[in-house]
Amino acid sequence: MKALTHEEFCSKLDRDLAWRRRELTALRFAVESASESDASFMIRAAFVMLYAHWEGFTKSAAQLYLRYVAQRRVRCDSLSAAFVALAIRPYARRIASIEKPEEYIRECQRLLAALNGNAVIHWESEIITGSNLNFDRFRRILLGIGIDPNPFLTKQGLIDNRLVHTRNSVAHGNEFMPDFADYKELHDVLLELLAEVHDKIGQAVQQKAYQKSSIG
């Protein structure tokens, strides 16, 4: 697969956010235009779509960042701790599962060789949302790609108690009827949250935060 340039990375990240914004904005208009008899149904459906774009964009943006870093083929000793951890995790998992000394010694030798070479990061499979992206999973994703989750702490209650909980209630077929005011507020805050995720990941690439020299 062709390595992304910085410009291509930014373009893909921007386009991903843009189409989601358009869809959510169109959905907001549809909810506001719905007849009184259809309003509850439309709001319930809108909550599911809000969650879908929350999980979808977070996973897509994080994977794009990992792909960008993986394709730089940076030496392990030049990467930040988060990306070294990603590169060596497959070796660590195998070592932990091996009982015979001669076998785990050989695997340790492979690990040492990997640490002295260019990092191999399996970006396609590293971002796990569990189809239930609550704040704790979101926090783990950010930490795993070297981004500080603390600026998002003020959104924890909104993510867990309003977005994820409401989506789960609707998706599991419960008779839960959120009102329009709740939907409108969550719609506005979620667009801000997606933009913040976009900006943090964009800044990480711009500042080369994946490199060891970029961290304290």
Side-chain angles (χ1 to χ4, degrees):
M1 183 179 292
K2 177 178 174 289
L4 291 172
T5 66
H6 179 251
E7 292 74 18
E8 289 169 336
F9 168 86
C10 293
S11 179
K12 282 181 176 291
L13 189 65
D14 291 347
R15 286 200 307 270
D16 194 8
L17 180 60
W19 81 263
R20 295 176 191 279
R21 277 176 164 164
R22 287 195 301 270
E23 184 163 289
L24 290 176
T25 300
L27 182 60
R28 167 79 171 266
F29 179 76
V31 171
E32 292 176 336
S33 304
S35 65
E36 186 174 348
S37 61
D38 290 339
S40 293
F41 160 75
M42 290 296 294
I43 292 171
R44 282 163 56 82
F47 265 92
V48 175
M49 288 302 295
L50 285 173
Y51 172 82
H53 283 300
W54 158 242
E55 178 179 322
F57 182 71
T58 298
K59 183 174 184 177
S60 176
Q63 280 185 330
L64 185 65
Y65 180 34
L66 289 188
R67 175 186 167 187
Y68 179 84
V69 176
Q71 291 178 334
R72 305 277 75 75
R73 301 291 291 169
V74 180
R75 285 181 55 87
C76 273
D77 57 11
S78 296
L79 286 172
S80 69
F83 283 91
V84 173
L86 287 172
I88 70 172
R89 184 153 58 183
Y91 299 94
R93 286 172 174 164
R94 287 194 292 269
I95 290 167
S97 66
I98 295 172
E99 295 184 2
K100 293 182 179 180
E102 60 271 25
E103 293 181 8
Y104 65 66
I105 289 171
R106 279 196 296 270
E107 196 62 34
C108 283
Q109 290 171 335
R110 295 188 186 101
L111 169 57
L112 291 172
L115 286 170
N116 289 318
N118 294 334
V120 176
I121 298 170
H122 301 285
W123 57 269
E124 305 98 325
S125 58
E126 285 293 346
I127 306 301
I128 299 173
T129 64
S131 298
N132 194 36
L133 188 59
N134 56 26
F135 185 81
D136 184 60
R137 287 194 177 96
F138 175 62
R139 181 187 65 84
R140 281 185 273 168
I141 287 172
L142 292 184
L143 286 173
I145 60 176
I147 293 177
D148 181 10
N150 287 332
F152 295 92
L153 280 173
T154 57
K155 304 293 196 309
Q156 181 172 1
L158 179 138
I159 292 168
D160 287 348
N161 302 327
R162 298 179 64 185
L163 178 60
V164 176
H165 174 73
T166 304
R167 172 263 188 179
N168 288 346
S169 294
V170 174
H172 295 161
N174 297 330
E175 190 178 4
F176 185 79
M177 299 296 176
D179 61 28
F180 179 74
D182 283 341
Y183 160 66
K184 180 181 177 182
E185 182 182 4
L186 189 59
H187 170 95
D188 293 341
V189 174
L190 183 68
L191 288 181
E192 294 174 2
L193 186 55
L194 295 181
E196 193 170 356
V197 172
H198 168 280
D199 292 348
K200 292 293 184 184
I201 290 178
Q203 289 166 9
V205 167
Q206 180 67 37
Q207 298 168 2
K208 297 184 178 180
Y210 52 87
Q211 293 183 349
K212 183 190 294 184
S213 60
S214 298
I215 63 173

